[in-house]
Amino acid sequence: MADSLKGKCAVITGSTSGIGLGMARALAAQGVHVMINGFGDAAAIEDVRAGIEKEFGVKARYNGADISKPDQVEALIKATNSELGSIDILINNAGIQFTSAVDAFPLDKWDAIISTNLSSAFYGIKYALPFMRAKKWGRIISTASVHGLVASPQKAAYVAAKHGIIGLTKVVGLETAGSGITCNAICPGWVLTPLVQKQIDAIAAENKISVEAAKEKLVAEKQPSKQFVTPEELGAYLVFLCSDAATQITGSAMTMDGGWTAQ
Ligand code: NAD
């Protein structure tokens, strides 16, 4: 598996934090050159970038594109190709969350979630695919969610966007079938990242319980394993989907959710 990915080039959106960072590190560990993307403190991002180069001996670059903007995604894809030398792997991972009942859901939050969590993947695929078609090899993987398969209340925009990602994945899987390019979605259950920490803090405040108790409450409610999925486990899943062994997996929505969607 390792030899087949060595020297390939990947762009991972939203990789300054959480799952995306775990995925970037997992690819770099296989010898893949990586383009890091996302927001955050400039010095902390530089530490992450330089740390990946040092630890894994690959090229790591950073591009701060706002992936909700098509022109910035186009520039990100072009920068990946020119700075790393190719674009073989596209990971559509960046995402945001906002919770509210649907009739109170703010219009601007709806638009922000749809553009960041769904339209961004369309932009990435649209601009990266020509590079992959030219090389007759490519891997497109989007971080969807269990919320691409099932719903929870208070998450209208997020659930709509994640279901949309899975629809887009199926279409691209069909349009690229047999071309050497595959397109899949990974559907994690709860992963303990800054995105989820905000929801844990809200539960702790609402229920007047400790953050530790809120964490247990959140994971136990939906995830039968009662254990968080980790960015490292998701990174290993991603590496498998990028490998030659996964050539016939395309258009799929693959869960890693401690049993959440088995219920
Ligand atoms: P996170 O908040 O730790 O990371 C999100 C990343 O996206 C950060 O790097 C952030 O800077 C970046 N980002 C946000 N908006 C951006 C924009 N407009 N342009 C560029 N970058 C932007 O969150 P996470 O939990 O690691 O989430 C990553 C993905 O995993 C998201 O798509 C999320 O929906 C999905 N997901 C998370 C969980 C979970 O439990 N944490 C479960 C299922 C799916």
Side-chain angles (χ1 to χ4, degrees):
M1 201 193 295
D3 279 351
S4 70
L5 292 181
K6 198 169 172 20
K8 296 216 183 285
C9 302
V11 53
I12 307 100
T13 70
S15 46
T16 54
S17 170
I19 295 170
L21 179 53
M23 289 177 160
R25 288 180 53 81
L27 287 172
Q30 299 295 323
V32 175
H33 304 300
V34 291
M35 177 63 85
I36 306 295
N37 159 262
F39 303 145
D41 173 70
I45 292 171
E46 175 53 19
D47 278 353
V48 164
R49 189 205 65 73
I52 289 176
E53 283 201 335
K54 190 161 178 240
E55 188 173 346
F56 303 111
V58 297
K59 277 189 264 181
R61 298 286 181 272
Y62 168 71
N63 184 298
D66 177 345
I67 50 95
S68 67
K69 308 276 191 302
D71 54 333
Q72 294 193 32
V73 176
E74 185 177 19
L76 170 67
I77 299 296
K78 284 186 178 156
T80 303
N81 188 58
S82 61
E83 291 177 35
L84 298 183
S86 178
I87 171 147
D88 307 299
I89 300 169
L90 166 68
I91 311 297
N92 297 306
N93 168 77
I96 54 173
Q97 176 63 286
F98 182 82
T99 57
S100 163
V102 68
D103 45 350
F105 214 96
L107 293 175
D108 61 333
K109 295 291 186 194
W110 172 273
D111 288 343
I113 290 180
I114 297 299
S115 60
T116 306
N117 294 14
L118 175 58
S119 303
S120 61
F122 162 66
Y123 307 145
I125 292 167
K126 176 178 169 59
Y127 295 121
L129 208 44
F131 292 103
M132 295 177 180
R133 286 206 192 276
K135 294 183 82 174
K136 297 187 170 44
W137 195 94
R139 291 288 183 269
I140 301 167
I141 296 159
S142 300
T143 309
S145 165
V146 284
H147 286 118
L149 299 166
V150 295
S152 296
Q154 307 282 320
K155 296 186 176 175
Y158 189 87
V159 169
K162 295 299 186 181
H163 275 68
I165 284 285
I166 291 177
L168 175 65
T169 298
K170 289 178 182 174
V171 172
V172 178
L174 292 178
E175 290 187 8
T176 56
S179 70
I181 300 163
T182 67
C183 179
N184 292 290
I186 297 181
C187 301
W190 290 123
V191 190
L192 193 51
T193 66
L195 181 140
V196 165
Q197 188 63 48
K198 278 187 207 152
Q199 297 172 63
I200 291 169
D201 294 344
I203 291 172
E206 259 168 45
N207 296 275
K208 296 189 176 40
I209 54 176
S210 70
V211 169
E212 208 44 46
K215 202 187 278 180
E216 279 168 28
K217 183 174 160 55
L218 172 117
V219 80
E221 229 166 61
K222 300 271 189 179
Q223 205 147 297
S225 68
K226 298 190 176 68
Q227 292 158 352
F228 286 98
V229 178
T230 67
E232 291 73 24
E233 288 162 351
L234 289 164
Y237 207 11
L238 176 90
V239 166
F240 168 68
L241 285 177
C242 289
S243 73
D244 288 342
T247 300
Q248 294 305 318
I249 302 177
T250 197
S252 287
M254 323 271 292
T255 59
M256 184 180 267
D257 64 4
W260 182 325
T261 53
Q263 297 168 104

